[in-house]
Amino acid sequence: MKIRNGLARSVTCLLVGCGIAGAVSASAVSVKGVTDVPHFAQWPQIRSAIAQDKNMEQEIQALLAQMTLEEKVGQMIQPDFREVTPEEISKYKIGSVLNGGGGWPNNNKHASAQDWAQQADHYWLAAEAGFKGRGFRIPFMWATDAVHGHNNVFSATLFPHNIGLGAARDPNLIFRIGQITAREVAATGLDWTFAPTVAVPRDDRWGRTYEGYSEDPAIVYHYAGEMVRGLQGSAADLRGQRHVISNVKHFVGDGGTQDGVDRGQNFYSEEALRNLHAVGYFSGLDAGAQVVMASFNSWHNPLNRDVLPDDEVEYNGKLHGSQYLLTDVLKDKMGFDGLIVSDWNGHSEIAGCTMGACLPAVLAGVDIFMVTARKDWQAFRQSLLDGVANHQIPMSRIDDAVTRILRVKMRAGLWQKPQPSARELAGKQVELGAAEHKALAREAVRKSLVLLKNEDQILPLSRNSRVLVVGSAANDLGKQVGGWSLTWQGTENQRADFPGAQSLLDAIRTTVGADRVLTSTQPADLQAAKPDVAILVMGEDPYAEWFGDIPDNKTLAYSELKNSYQDDLQTLKQLKAASIPVVTVLFSGRPLYVNEEINLSSAFVAAWLPGTEGEGITDVLFKAANDKPGYDFQGRLSFSWPFLKCATAINRTPTNIPGWKRPAFEQDLQGTTAPLFPYGYGLSYQQPSPVAARVSNLDQLPLDNRKFGCNETDPAKLTAAGKVLELFGPKASEEHRLRMGDASNWTGTEVSGNSVTEMKFIKVQPIDYLRQQDARAVTFLGENKPGVDSGATLQLQTTQVKGADRRSYLKANSELQVTLRVQQAPQSNMTLGLQCGWPCGKSIDVTSTLRKLPLGQWLTISLPLSCLKDGMDFAKTNTPFILATNGQARLDVATVRWVPESLLQPGKDLKQLDCQGQLKP
């Protein structure tokens, strides 16, 4: 083994490009490089592979001395590129932009590499113009979320998400993926990727679990440095044109929040925070990572003190405001000399801060602020200028931030690199999804698969088999690639958005021949085709941060997460009844409770979120063309697998923390810490599993009959009297869809969560309320003319065909609550109400109230459901919210809920209405 900085750089053979014959078996492959991680008694001093250079430091100080305060502040602002023009870049000396998930040049999802490079040119040239005549220049840079390949870009190679790569136990594979990702980012003319994520997820309810390599710090420690080296290369490589700036994130503890709540509360001790959640930063920064992104979560510890002790607002522990961790630890104790960037408007979550101003985050040590919207970054820029003028922000803090920004730009060779479109790889479409890149992704898929069950050695399958291919994910590329794929959440994509991609159904047809593949489960078809085996592919719908959190009223049970997932279980039962052996393949972003599905399957494979290369799966499921085994299963669980529905935090004991005692919030909520399949488990064709499963008979696993969510300890809470019905917002389930319609098409369309949705008389687009794109800006465009129907509606509709029985909420004296912000009061009458299948329904005129509300202020209006009972059949509620008008208006909508009387919480921001739609006194 070659070792660099204590990390494994390569592993002998590792089944790279070779079959089993003549190769080391998967179980025998050395994984020494990912089994050990040292104990860190103190925060370690970083020994970066990219050391400071005296001449460079002198040059930085010379530049700093010439810059005005306005020029310095411009370097600290990073808008979303859709919210800043080239003219503004030049005027305000903005130093960088980012593209959020789902942001593309000209809003064209299929933008080419050349389109991206040309878009980057616009900003690069504008930045150059901004310093014209100053006697010096500060180059521009563009950052993106290339987290499993260059995933925001059409035609790019999509690798398995990190959870699958963790199962591969192959540091060298990670290094090579980093190299390829860097090439594809460079092909679009961009400079910086927000990768890798080095979180250690400890509760599988977290919606970002799949972004972590493992629940155990060892794999994360040994992978982080390899990904950084792949992306950045050496100091000389980083100055070149085939590598990009790397960013370890999110500092620190995002994977350790209570109940797996995204942006939630972390209660680990400093010892555990350092040795469990921070080790990826140690290896990543040693490898030379130039950027650290601050985390959304809070850390509750006396050391995490308030930077403004005299301020009236009590600090809420958010990491963006943690001077102890960002400055005292990261910059001072560890000696990190790169830059700290905020997450998407992350500063605004600090108590007392807003999108447009946050003194605590500046003082805590954040250097670049990701302030995404135009009005917010302009306000934030001014707040920095005012803060210096008012002596609230020392000039030394501004100079520290800008010194770090200039240092990273110099180390990336930005002064020497030409404009983006003129760089070595820029605009080369052939780099995106190149054959050798796809081959590496296919290899990564093979290595990430974990075989959980293989009864009677049904696998590997013969290529002469007649195969029935079924299941919700068999031909669904969205389920296969997961979140952060072209769009932020991975939703709203079509087959054409992934050119050259292979679903598992495609791959099976390629492997055995289309004439041997059946997809119908109709009894007559099954009897006629007589399949030898069925491959059932099931999987979670795509999701990303916070949308993917499992809510309080749900568990880890796959078939119960969404109504649509139940179909896979029913299909399994049907095939079992027909005596057809089934190989089940699960696409998921976390381990899930699937005891019944395992019982019904002859073989069961955890495929995680494999990306676009479906043949990586068939390489292992099927024998080679000579009817002998080709590739073996190499994957070993990097996350413990749940035995019960609420075994959400059954983590391996970290070996690098002496005397580790599992904290209370890591206990299994059902009284045991034992998993079904422990960390390290995985079967292979040649060798037995190195770690035994909890139950030897995988045909008769006991079933967990829990009928309520993991945070619903009392079944009585499922009644309307004790439960809020979340319809739209951060806690809403998938049961309701936000739709809009107008006089041009009353059938309407579903509202996009990613981009603008427009009809003739209504336009809706995502905006930020408390979190990224968690609200919708609604513009009604009606003409309000006599005899002209220009009406439009915004509504929430249930996915249940016959509507839902909501009579219990009426009996509980519930109220319909809408959190909104009036931007332009209704020009004509606006109504709020419910429907039970048009024309069944009832609405109340709320025009007068909306006209009285202050503009630009978030408030919640609350209307008793009893006001709507005449004309409304609550037993068939299919539209639990509808807002309609015939004229013009602009409203921002953040949450919609039905709240029982017992849970009503009056406050100054709650405006209760009477049955005439008027404000109550």
Side-chain angles (χ1 to χ4, degrees):
M1 257 187 179
K2 299 177 182 178
I3 304 294
R4 177 179 176 182
N5 289 346
L7 300 180
R9 282 302 304 272
S10 64
V11 180
T12 305
C13 187
L14 282 174
L15 302 182
V16 177
C18 58
I20 288 179
V24 190
S25 76
S27 297
V29 170
S30 171
V31 291
K32 183 177 180 181
V34 294
T35 54
D36 300 318
V37 58
H39 171 251
F40 294 94
Q42 303 294 332
W43 294 97
Q45 183 73 26
I46 294 301
R47 295 177 175 81
S48 176
I50 301 180
Q52 281 197 15
D53 177 272
K54 287 186 178 179
N55 294 331
M56 183 182 292
E57 294 302 309
Q58 291 174 357
E59 189 174 352
I60 291 169
Q61 292 307 309
L63 281 172
L64 196 67
Q66 299 176 74
M67 296 174 71
T68 65
L69 175 60
E70 289 76 9
E71 289 167 342
K72 292 175 181 178
V73 164
Q75 294 298 305
M76 297 174 68
I77 304 296
Q78 186 178 83
D80 185 296
F81 84 103
R82 295 164 290 187
E83 293 286 331
V84 64
T85 65
E87 291 75 21
E88 289 167 331
I89 294 288
S90 185
K91 178 180 179 180
Y92 297 113
K93 311 298 187 292
I94 302 298
S96 63
V97 297
L98 78 149
N99 62 281
W104 317 287
N106 304 313
N107 200 31
N108 176 15
K109 184 187 283 190
H110 294 184
S112 67
Q114 188 64 38
D115 293 333
W116 280 91
Q118 288 176 349
Q119 183 75 52
D121 272 357
H122 295 322
Y123 298 118
W124 191 93
L125 292 169
E128 295 293 303
F131 285 93
K132 188 175 182 180
R134 293 287 290 124
F136 65 93
R137 54 186 284 264
I138 307 295
F140 183 81
M141 58 184 173
W142 185 322
T144 188
D145 284 285
V147 297
H148 67 127
H150 197 11
N151 44 263
N152 284 296
V153 175
F154 180 68
S155 296
T157 308
L158 296 190
F159 295 94
H161 270 291
N162 286 356
I163 192 171
L165 298 179
R169 301 294 210 282
D170 189 341
N172 178 259
L173 175 68
I174 304 306
F175 172 74
R176 290 181 289 139
I177 288 173
Q179 287 183 310
I180 295 304
T181 300
R183 286 184 67 97
E184 296 203 7
V185 173
T188 56
L190 309 189
D191 308 285
W192 167 7
T193 173
F194 298 129
T197 298
V198 296
V200 180
R202 302 292 283 184
D203 191 307
D204 297 335
R205 287 172 289 182
W206 188 35
R208 302 189 82 153
T209 296
Y210 66 81
E211 294 188 53
Y213 295 118
S214 177
E215 70 187 26
D216 186 82
I219 293 176
V220 180
Y221 178 73
H222 291 287
Y223 270 22
E226 293 307 302
M227 180 58 78
V228 170
R229 269 187 280 274
L231 291 166
Q232 286 192 173
S234 64
D237 290 334
L238 183 56
R239 292 192 297 272
Q241 298 183 29
R242 298 187 173 207
H243 289 81
V244 294
I245 298 165
S246 176
N247 183 143
V248 282
K249 65 181 186 184
H250 309 84
F251 195 80
V252 60
D254 50 341
T257 59
Q258 189 169 27
D259 297 334
V261 174
D262 192 50
R263 311 185 184 201
Q265 302 180 78
N266 185 306
F267 291 95
Y268 285 88
S269 67
E270 184 177 20
E271 164 82 353
L273 191 75
R274 182 171 58 245
N275 284 282
L276 194 60
H277 294 288
V279 296
Y281 298 93
F282 306 156
S283 60
L285 295 177
D286 274 348
Q290 291 298 292
V291 182
V292 170
M293 184 181 289
S295 184
F296 279 117
N297 66 273
S298 61
W299 182 48
H300 295 282
N301 188 289
L303 292 168
N304 195 16
R305 61 189 180 275
D306 193 342
V307 297
L308 298 173
D310 298 328
D311 190 64
E312 294 181 359
V313 179
E314 184 178 354
Y315 174 49
N316 57 357
K318 288 287 183 174
L319 266 293
H320 278 75
S322 177
Q323 185 180 60
Y324 177 69
L325 288 172
L326 297 184
T327 294
D328 298 353
V329 168
L330 183 58
K331 290 183 175 181
D332 296 341
K333 291 184 180 180
M334 292 173 61
F336 172 60
D337 67 358
L339 68 88
I340 297 175
V341 65
S342 73
D343 207 335
W344 183 285
N345 297 315
H347 60 278
S348 68
E349 298 197 1
I350 301 171
C353 288
T354 65
M355 298 282 195
C358 188
L359 180 61
V362 180
L363 298 178
V366 176
D367 302 310
I368 288 182
F369 288 86
M370 197 187 294
V371 193
T372 55
R374 175 175 283 103
K375 64 179 179 62
D376 294 329
W377 67 254
Q378 290 182 345
F380 199 94
R381 172 186 175 276
Q382 189 61 48
S383 77
L384 291 176
L385 296 173
D386 293 344
V388 174
N390 297 333
H391 305 290
Q392 293 175 299
I393 303 174
M395 195 64 203
S396 59
R397 174 74 272 272
I398 300 293
D399 285 346
D400 171 60
V402 179
T403 294
R404 292 168 179 275
I405 295 165
L406 297 179
R407 182 181 292 133
V408 171
K409 288 186 173 185
M410 280 194 185
R411 287 173 173 173
L414 296 186
W415 271 264
Q416 290 72 45
K417 291 175 182 176
Q419 67 189 67
S421 66
R423 297 176 190 173
E424 181 182 350
L425 298 179
K428 292 187 176 180
Q429 190 67 26
V430 295
E431 285 288 335
L432 300 180
E436 59 270 29
H437 301 180
K438 284 180 169 288
L440 178 60
R442 182 171 171 175
E443 175 191 336
V445 175
R446 286 197 299 266
K447 292 181 172 181
S448 67
L449 305 175
V450 180
L451 181 60
L452 300 180
K453 179 182 180 181
N454 192 20
E455 205 72 17
D456 298 324
Q457 302 300 301
I458 188 174
L459 295 176
L461 302 170
S462 169
R463 294 191 177 214
N464 295 318
S465 301
R466 295 184 302 279
V467 185
L468 170 66
V469 183
V470 292
S472 63
N475 199 33
D476 189 327
L477 285 171
K479 289 176 180 279
Q480 189 169 306
V481 300
W484 294 106
S485 299
L486 281 181
T487 63
W488 174 37
Q489 295 291 320
T491 55
E492 302 176 27
N493 291 318
Q494 306 296 324
R495 184 60 182 255
D497 295 325
F498 301 102
Q502 279 196 318
S503 68
L504 185 47
L505 174 60
D506 296 330
I508 294 169
R509 284 173 171 158
T510 299
T511 302
V512 304
D515 58 332
R516 292 182 173 274
V517 176
L518 173 71
T519 59
S520 171
T521 57
Q522 293 299 318
D525 295 330
L526 292 178
Q527 187 174 6
K530 293 183 173 61
D532 298 310
V533 65
I535 297 178
L536 183 138
V537 194
M538 61 186 194
E540 295 183 280
D541 291 335
Y543 55 79
E545 57 187 298
W546 80 271
F547 283 96
D549 285 6
I550 292 179
D552 292 348
N553 64 333
K554 297 288 185 179
T555 71
L556 293 177
Y558 168 74
S559 65
E560 298 170 6
L561 282 173
K562 290 190 177 184
N563 293 334
S564 59
Y565 297 176
Q566 296 174 10
D567 293 342
D568 291 318
L569 180 56
Q570 296 308 312
T571 301
L572 268 171
K573 291 178 178 178
Q574 178 187 355
L575 297 174
K576 182 72 171 180
S579 300
I580 299 173
V582 182
V583 175
T584 299
V585 178
L586 172 65
F587 295 153
S588 71
R590 49 194 150 214
L592 292 169
Y593 171 84
V594 284
N595 286 23
E596 188 167 10
E597 289 88 343
I598 291 174
N599 283 342
L600 295 167
S601 305
S602 297
F604 199 98
V605 177
W608 313 112
L609 300 171
T612 52
E613 308 311 304
E615 281 191 275
I617 302 174
T618 55
D619 284 344
V620 186
L621 293 186
F622 289 87
K623 297 176 182 177
N626 61 5
D627 207 35
K628 294 182 179 180
Y631 294 94
D632 205 342
F633 281 90
Q634 177 174 320
R636 299 290 179 262
L637 290 179
S638 59
F639 286 81
S640 304
W641 199 277
F643 182 65
L644 299 171
K645 290 180 180 180
C646 289
T648 61
I650 44 170
N651 302 302
R652 179 185 189 234
T653 298
T655 59
N656 64 321
I657 305 179
W660 167 261
K661 292 183 179 179
R662 188 185 299 270
F665 48 83
E666 277 200 16
Q667 301 298 323
D668 180 345
L669 298 176
Q670 292 172 267
T672 177
T673 57
L676 171 59
F677 302 114
Y679 176 96
Y681 176 87
L683 304 174
S684 65
Y685 297 146
Q686 289 198 331
Q687 299 287 336
S689 170
V691 183
R694 177 176 179 177
V695 179
S696 58
N697 187 345
L698 297 180
D699 290 333
Q700 297 180 12
L701 295 176
L703 302 183
D704 183 350
N705 294 318
R706 186 184 183 102
K707 299 299 183 183
F708 50 96
C710 291
N711 270 9
E712 292 182 328
T713 55
D714 183 356
K717 290 185 178 180
L718 293 176
T719 65
K723 182 178 176 59
V724 173
L725 179 63
E726 302 284 355
L727 300 168
F728 177 74
K731 296 183 179 180
S733 71
E734 83 290 349
E735 185 180 349
H736 296 91
R737 296 286 186 266
L738 188 65
R739 295 180 60 83
M740 66 187 199
D742 68 7
S744 70
N745 179 9
W746 286 115
T747 301
T749 186
E750 191 164 323
V751 173
S752 170
N754 181 70
S755 57
V756 177
T757 311
E758 294 186 76
M759 297 179 69
K760 185 175 182 179
F761 300 116
I762 185 172
K763 179 175 75 172
V764 182
Q765 65 186 86
I767 59 170
D768 296 348
Y769 166 53
L770 297 177
R771 299 180 178 181
Q772 184 175 348
Q773 297 181 1
D774 61 345
R776 300 292 179 267
V778 187
T779 303
F780 293 94
L781 302 166
E783 299 175 4
N784 193 31
K785 294 180 180 178
V788 176
D789 187 359
S790 58
T793 64
L794 181 76
Q795 55 200 290
L796 284 160
Q797 293 184 349
T798 180
T799 56
Q800 299 183 44
V801 177
K802 296 181 180 179
D805 187 346
R806 302 299 186 194
R807 287 176 291 184
S808 60
Y809 282 89
L810 181 63
K811 293 178 182 178
N813 296 319
S814 302
E815 299 196 2
L816 167 60
Q817 293 190 348
V818 184
T819 300
L820 52 76
R821 179 172 60 182
V822 179
Q823 300 285 25
Q824 177 188 335
Q827 179 190 64
S828 61
N829 289 355
M830 178 169 281
T831 60
L832 173 66
L834 319 173
Q835 287 186 356
C836 38
W838 191 87
C840 174
K842 175 70 174 179
S843 291
I844 299 291
D845 191 322
V846 293
T847 312
S848 175
T849 290
L850 294 178
R851 287 175 177 172
K852 292 176 183 176
L853 296 181
L855 296 179
Q857 182 176 338
W858 287 106
L859 297 166
T860 299
I861 59 173
S862 189
L863 178 68
L865 294 182
S866 59
C867 296
L868 303 167
K869 63 183 180 181
D870 293 338
M872 178 67 197
D873 184 351
F874 281 84
K876 298 187 294 186
T877 305
N878 75 330
T879 306
F881 159 81
I882 183 167
L883 196 66
T885 186
N886 194 50
Q888 295 183 4
R890 286 194 298 122
L891 305 174
D892 299 335
V893 179
T895 64
V896 182
R897 334 192 296 161
W898 284 15
V899 183
E901 183 179 42
S902 62
L903 298 178
L904 290 174
Q905 296 181 337
K908 65 177 181 178
D909 293 334
L910 180 68
K911 305 298 180 183
Q912 291 185 287
L913 311 184
D914 60 24
C915 289
Q916 284 71 49
Q918 302 296 315
L919 289 171
K920 290 183 179 180

